[in-house]
């Protein structure tokens, strides 16, 4: 892959990390505040997610018009709602509620060398390897 | 994406690794530049964070996505499986916080 392309990927990742940090999504207090709907509810995550979904959706709609052999976009072929999707997502939710970290923000927090992230990310890698070992890596 | 990097058979690992380094760099830059971005309130003991990491890793790999993969990209494309996944992990996360708050306090 050309160096210029890799710079673009670095910038894309950087923008993602900055977006998460500036919008407060790297703070477990904010995330758990959003999930605590029966307590003092903090709706911030909803707005961040709605903004991201809207912009991503709009960008995809526009880019689809230019899709060709050199510009390939994520497939729109429907994937099944199977046991793995349901059980995996349910387990992910439990972990998300327990820690207030999902993969993106936990990685961004490595940028501050926070002990929570330094512990969480290797544990996450072990969890992923276990899932791959016993259930494959089709999805 | 992080999970795919852990599979030997994944093609084009370079761009995914570069993207994740960018993500860490973007976080580091924001934390250094803005105090509001650097706000971090530890909510759980470290042992709970380690268990949470295991569950998040296992669950996202089995379910094929996380808050970004299913929640933003999948939902943004209107994919039915991602909408289902997002509703499911939101629901179990809300219930987990509810139970944790009851038990821990």
């Amino acid at each position: 892959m050309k160096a210029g392309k890799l710079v673009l990927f670095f910038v894309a990742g950087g923008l993602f990390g900055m977006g998460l940090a500036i919008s407060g999504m790297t703070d477990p207090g904010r995330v758990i505040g959003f999930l605590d709907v029966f307590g003092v509810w903090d709706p911030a995550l909803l707005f961040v997610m709605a903004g991201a979904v809207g912009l991503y959706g709009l960008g995809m709609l526009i880019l689809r018009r230019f899709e060709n052999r050199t510009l390939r976009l994520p497939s729109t072929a429907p994937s099944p709602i199977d046991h793995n999707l349901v059980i995996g997502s349910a387990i992910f939710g439990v972990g998300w509620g327990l820690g207030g970290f999902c993969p993106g923000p936990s990685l961004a927090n490595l940028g501050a060398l926070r002990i929570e992230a330094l512990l969480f990310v290797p544990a996450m890698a072990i969890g992923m390897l276990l899932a791959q070992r016993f259930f494959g890596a089709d999805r | 994406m992080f999970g795919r990097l852990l599979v030997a058979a994944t093609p084009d690992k370079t761009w995914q690794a570069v993207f994740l380094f960018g993500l860490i760099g973007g976080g580091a830059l924001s934390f250094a530049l803005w105090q509001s971005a650097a706000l971090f309130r530890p909510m759980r003991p470290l042992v709970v964070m380690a268990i949470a990491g295991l569950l998040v890793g296992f669950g996202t790999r089995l379910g094929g996505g996380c808050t970004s993969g299913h929640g933003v990209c999948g939902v943004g494309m209107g994919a039915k499986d991602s909408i289902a996944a997002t509703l499911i992990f939101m629901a179990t996360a809300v219930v987990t916080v509810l139970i944790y708050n009851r038990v821990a306090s």
Side-chain angles (χ1 to χ4, degrees):
Chain A
M1 193 172 284
K2 281 190 190 133
K5 246 184 179 174
L6 288 180
V7 171
L8 274 183
F9 279 116
F10 188 80
V11 171
L15 286 174
F16 181 41
M18 290 180 76
L20 287 172
I22 293 170
S23 62
M25 295 301 111
T26 47
D27 171 23
R30 273 235 113 113
V31 174
I32 288 174
F34 165 76
L35 295 171
D36 191 13
V37 289
F38 301 104
V40 185
W41 190 50
D42 177 352
L45 190 146
L46 193 66
F47 290 103
V48 174
M49 207 156 163
V53 164
L55 206 60
Y56 183 92
L58 187 68
M60 275 294 152
L61 275 182
I62 295 169
L63 285 176
R64 291 270 176 223
R65 308 180 58 143
F66 301 99
E67 198 170 12
N68 56 32
R69 237 172 274 160
T70 47
L71 176 70
R72 282 173 298 133
L73 295 172
S75 163
T76 48
S79 306
I81 301 174
D82 55 16
H83 284 96
N84 282 1
L85 180 102
V86 172
I87 296 166
S89 298
I91 293 172
F92 163 45
V94 173
W96 191 33
L98 266 185
F101 262 178
C102 50
S106 75
L107 289 163
N109 268 307
L110 283 181
L113 297 176
R114 289 194 176 101
I115 182 73
E116 285 83 0
L118 290 169
L119 200 64
F120 184 96
V121 172
M124 178 169 80
I126 293 170
M128 286 171 165
L129 288 170
L130 285 175
Q132 281 161 199
R133 171 76 181 74
F134 293 109
F135 298 95
D138 330 326
R139 263 194 186 274
Chain B
M1 182 182 281
F2 183 71
R4 283 191 200 187
L5 277 179
L6 304 173
V7 188
T10 300
D12 301 334
K13 277 204 192 76
T14 317
W15 73 263
Q16 306 192 30
V18 167
F19 181 90
L20 294 182
F21 277 118
L23 164 57
I24 297 169
L29 183 69
S30 308
F31 299 143
L33 287 181
W34 297 287
Q35 253 186 338
S36 60
L39 175 69
F40 188 89
R41 290 166 288 181
M43 302 290 287
R44 311 292 199 221
L46 291 179
V47 62
V48 175
M49 292 306 289
I51 297 165
L54 274 176
L55 294 173
V56 166
F58 190 89
T60 51
R61 201 67 186 98
L62 187 63
C66 58
T67 352
S68 308
H70 277 315
V72 174
C73 298
V75 173
M77 293 203 308
K80 287 202 178 75
D81 63 319
S82 289
I83 294 170
T86 304
L87 291 174
I88 291 167
F89 66 64
M90 287 277 181
T92 56
V94 165
V95 171
T96 302
V97 169
L98 181 69
I99 295 172
Y100 188 94
N101 286 347
R102 287 278 164 92
V103 174
S105 63

